[in-house]
Amino acid sequence: MLVFGGTGDLTLHKLLPALYHLHREQRLPADLRILALARKPLDSDGYRALAERHCRAQVARGDFTADTWHSFAARLDYFAMDAAQSAEFGRLAQHLGKGCSRARIYYLATAPQLFAPIAAHLAIAGLAGANTRIVLEKPIGHSLASALAITQAIGKVFDESQVFRIDHYLGKETVQNLMALRFANALFEPVWRGAHIDHVQISVCETLGVENRGGYYDQAGAMRDMLQNHLLQLLCLVAMEAPVRFDAEAVRNEKVKVLQALKPLAGLDVRDLTVRGQYTSGHIGGQEVPAYYFEKNVDNDSDTETFVALQVEVDNWRWAGVPFYLRTGKRLQRKCSEIVIQFKPVPHRLFPGAAEHANRLLIRLQPEERISLQLLAKTPGKGMTLEPVELDLNLATAFSRQRRWEAYERLLLDVIEGDPTLFMRKDEVEAAWRWVNPILDGWRECYQKPRPYPAGSTGPEQAHSLLELQGRRWHD
Ligand SMILES: NC(=O)C1=CN([C@@H]2O[C@H](COP(=O)(O)OP(=O)(O)OC[C@H]3O[C@@H](n4cnc5c(N)ncnc54)[C@H](OP(=O)(O)O)[C@@H]3O)[C@@H](O)[C@H]2O)C=CC1
Ligand SMILES: O=C1O[C@H](COP(=O)(O)O)[C@@H](O)[C@H](O)[C@H]1O
């Protein structure tokens, strides 16, 4: 496995710890070797020391032992090269050894601008044969046009069956549980539609800022970094029809139909139904944190959004008229990713209070993995007063004997085993960009600075008004 971007945040914080866990549980092929690549001048020993520091910090103390680390580190090497330079790939081919027939995975943990050049350079150097796979990290491109250009460039070198477009949210246990909840339980399907559902909320709130990733993030913003991929994938899983089989083509066929059914937002809708924000200084967990424009490598007059909230509809038979509210942001009050399915109230009111507390299904993805259903029950004692109570399923305690896998563990193993079910197909990526692009254009055209919100808050006021104007509120 060759990891381009081997010194980057993603590799050090997520990929290597995930590979370490898989190694520790003996799930990796015995002869798998990992070659990290980046420009930083390091030798393999220097890289292993860097990798050890990060894995030690990321892996739970009880799971990190010197013996396991040494056997894992024996798989690891480093090769310094500039992946933008074609000639460097000749050197790489030499390093790998001519005629080597090993199966290879190229993991592109780099900015998307490098995807097309890396694929082309691999081909020129004779490194892109039939026994290779390529993994592309999101966001794939910066706009619809650049995404299409990447797809075309990758397609010239690799067959679609060799391409794994990763969205790590699909590797999260609770996200896969969403499919189990919907399609393995008969209970929800009859009411999973506009006739019974008032609206859906999908929130991915982070307390982290952009850390050392200002250079990348300031070019991307919350829309490209999170909404175009992670939140739209969650929306697909909530809204899709039942696939005929649980396999890559059937699941992805259903997801792409949802993306194609998203009601376009353009012109005045962009103004009225979307909110962009950017954090100013504030406090999170008692710590003072700086404003976005003080982060490293961020332009001090940046108008990049670190928060986005919007309303969208899925224009099809099942969901006509049901608003889906999506929001994501950095430096918010709490880390919490969740999906809220708000049901409609009962049609005929027998009891006071029944209308204000219609049933609500909460699917919490993180930090806890929980599914809870809010029901109304009678308050003990005289009279018929009702109160909301929760039917609560905590997935960590329900499966307490199994270690919870990190998303990247599952996905890396799927790449190694060649299972693309939890990866995005090219038409999904394209459909997502087709919907997102007019919003980005709209923001640019009606040039409006992102609304400021203090770090540690719940986002800009306008995001709350978006729902309040329709008599609804975000679930806190
Ligand atoms: N960080 C995260 O949590 C997540 C990131 N991603 C995605 O992963 C990708 C990488 O993100 P992240 O790790 O945060 O970014 P970083 O900026 O931290 O890392 C970029 C990596 O690319 C290398 N690189 C840059 N230019 C070249 C070049 N010309 N030749 C060779 N290597 C190069 C850098 O090393 P050097 O400068 O030494 O060359 C570094 O290793 C992005 O597309 C991001 O969206 C996806 C999900 C989560
Ligand atoms: O893809 C990304 O995801 C992380 C959030 O991932 P999570 O698993 O911690 O929820 C986000 O911080 C990062 O900006 C983005 O690139």
Side-chain angles (χ1 to χ4, degrees):
M1 180 182 291
L2 280 78
V3 185
F4 289 91
T7 54
D9 183 273
L10 174 68
T11 305
L12 296 173
H13 290 104
K14 303 221 163 139
L15 301 183
L16 289 177
L19 287 164
Y20 172 89
H21 273 299
L22 293 172
H23 168 83
R24 181 173 170 271
E25 294 183 0
Q26 298 175 5
R27 293 179 192 274
L28 293 180
D31 58 350
L32 178 87
R33 303 199 52 79
I34 303 158
L35 181 64
L37 307 108
R39 290 168 304 184
K40 196 180 177 118
L42 279 175
D43 59 16
S44 287
D45 282 339
Y47 185 74
R48 287 185 204 111
L50 175 74
E52 180 176 0
R53 245 190 352 266
H54 282 87
C55 283
R56 205 180 265 284
Q58 300 297 322
V59 171
R61 197 173 292 171
D63 293 343
F64 193 93
T65 63
D67 282 353
T68 314
W69 173 257
H70 284 123
S71 57
F72 176 67
R75 293 179 185 268
L76 264 185
D77 279 299
Y78 181 77
F79 187 74
M81 67 177 279
D82 183 347
Q85 306 296 326
S86 189
E88 299 274 274
F89 285 73
R91 232 169 32 84
L92 173 64
Q94 251 176 6
H95 179 78
L96 295 171
K98 282 236 167 72
C100 170
S101 60
R102 291 175 74 106
R104 283 200 202 108
I105 294 167
Y106 300 111
Y107 197 121
L108 274 47
T110 65
Q113 295 88 305
L114 282 173
F115 293 176
I118 291 177
H121 298 155
L122 285 171
I124 293 168
L127 290 171
N131 60 348
T132 60
R133 290 181 191 143
I134 187 160
V135 185
L136 305 178
E137 264 296 342
K138 49 80 9 196
I140 297 181
H142 189 74
S143 60
L144 175 61
S146 57
L148 291 175
I150 289 172
T151 302
Q152 201 186 23
I154 298 289
K156 279 190 186 153
V157 179
F158 297 95
D159 182 73
E160 179 65 14
S161 61
Q162 295 173 276
V163 186
F164 288 71
R165 297 177 191 82
I166 218 161
D167 182 311
H168 77 276
Y169 267 59
L170 295 177
K172 291 183 188 277
E173 287 285 348
T174 343
V175 174
Q176 291 160 44
N177 241 314
L178 190 52
M179 286 191 272
L181 180 81
R182 288 195 57 201
F183 305 131
N185 297 287
L187 214 61
F188 294 106
E189 174 53 23
V191 291
W192 206 264
R193 56 193 66 245
H196 301 281
I197 292 178
D198 177 74
H199 72 274
V200 175
Q201 297 182 14
I202 301 178
S203 301
V204 178
C205 304
E206 299 188 78
T207 49
L208 278 182
V210 294
E211 317 299 308
N212 294 319
R213 300 169 64 217
Y216 151 74
Y217 193 90
D218 203 39
Q219 300 298 312
M223 183 62 131
R224 295 181 178 92
D225 186 50
M226 296 293 288
L227 201 136
Q228 188 274 342
N229 32 78
H230 303 323
L231 277 86
L232 288 186
Q233 284 293 319
L234 294 178
L235 186 154
C236 284
L237 297 181
V238 172
M240 72 196 227
E241 298 300 316
V244 285
R245 283 177 303 281
F246 188 67
D247 69 23
E249 289 319 302
V251 171
R252 299 189 296 182
N253 284 346
E254 295 309 329
K255 284 198 293 161
V256 79
K257 285 184 207 160
V258 174
L259 293 167
Q260 288 164 346
L262 294 178
K263 196 168 181 171
L265 291 183
L268 287 183
D269 280 347
V270 175
R271 188 196 64 191
D272 297 341
L273 301 178
T274 73
V275 177
R276 312 166 69 210
Q278 188 188 87
Y279 59 84
T280 57
S281 59
H283 289 84
I284 299 183
Q287 297 269 5
E288 196 173 343
V289 293
Y292 175 67
Y293 45 78
F294 281 135
E295 300 273 11
K296 198 168 156 211
N297 297 328
V298 167
D299 181 349
N300 61 11
D301 192 28
S302 169
D303 67 354
T304 298
E305 78 285 352
T306 59
F307 177 99
V308 60
L310 53 81
Q311 175 183 339
V312 56
E313 279 181 34
V314 181
D315 236 351
N316 65 13
W317 195 287
R318 185 185 284 267
W319 294 112
V322 179
F324 283 69
Y325 300 105
L326 274 46
R327 72 174 162 170
T328 181
K330 291 203 178 281
R331 290 282 193 230
L332 295 173
Q333 196 175 55
R334 258 196 307 274
K335 179 174 173 73
C336 176
S337 304
E338 65 183 25
I339 298 168
V340 174
I341 313 289
Q342 179 62 60
F343 289 93
K344 291 185 172 165
V346 289
H348 175 64
R349 295 177 196 178
L350 278 185
F351 308 110
E356 295 90 87
H357 298 287
N359 299 134
R360 189 186 61 211
L361 181 68
L362 173 78
I363 301 157
R364 173 78 47 89
L365 311 176
Q366 54 192 27
E368 337 75 87
E369 296 177 57
R370 228 179 92 202
I371 298 177
S372 73
L373 180 61
Q374 181 184 281
L375 301 171
L376 276 170
K378 179 183 170 298
T379 317
K382 198 170 167 294
M384 210 44 200
T385 319
L386 304 190
E387 270 180 61
V389 287
E390 305 277 343
L391 261 182
D392 216 349
L393 168 63
N394 182 324
L395 292 157
T397 45
F399 297 98
S400 57
R401 277 176 302 168
Q402 282 105 320
R403 184 178 68 81
R404 308 298 287 167
W405 283 37
E406 284 296 326
Y408 277 101
E409 294 177 47
R410 165 72 199 260
L411 296 174
L412 282 162
L413 207 52
D414 284 354
V415 175
I416 291 168
E417 290 171 358
D419 179 355
T421 309
L422 298 178
F423 295 79
M424 295 178 290
R425 211 168 51 191
K426 64 180 175 191
D427 51 349
E428 282 182 76
V429 175
E430 183 182 330
W433 275 117
R434 270 191 202 288
W435 183 75
V436 161
N437 220 61
I439 304 177
L440 294 170
D441 290 346
W443 285 346
R444 210 177 28 249
E445 279 154 21
C446 69
Y447 182 76
Q448 192 187 49
K449 281 254 173 215
R451 315 279 182 175
Y453 64 94
S457 70
T458 56
E461 260 318 301
Q462 290 78 0
H464 292 283
S465 320
L466 182 70
L467 272 72
E468 281 158 14
L469 287 171
Q470 302 173 31
R472 302 183 174 110
R473 54 197 293 268
W474 291 105
H475 177 248
D476 274 327

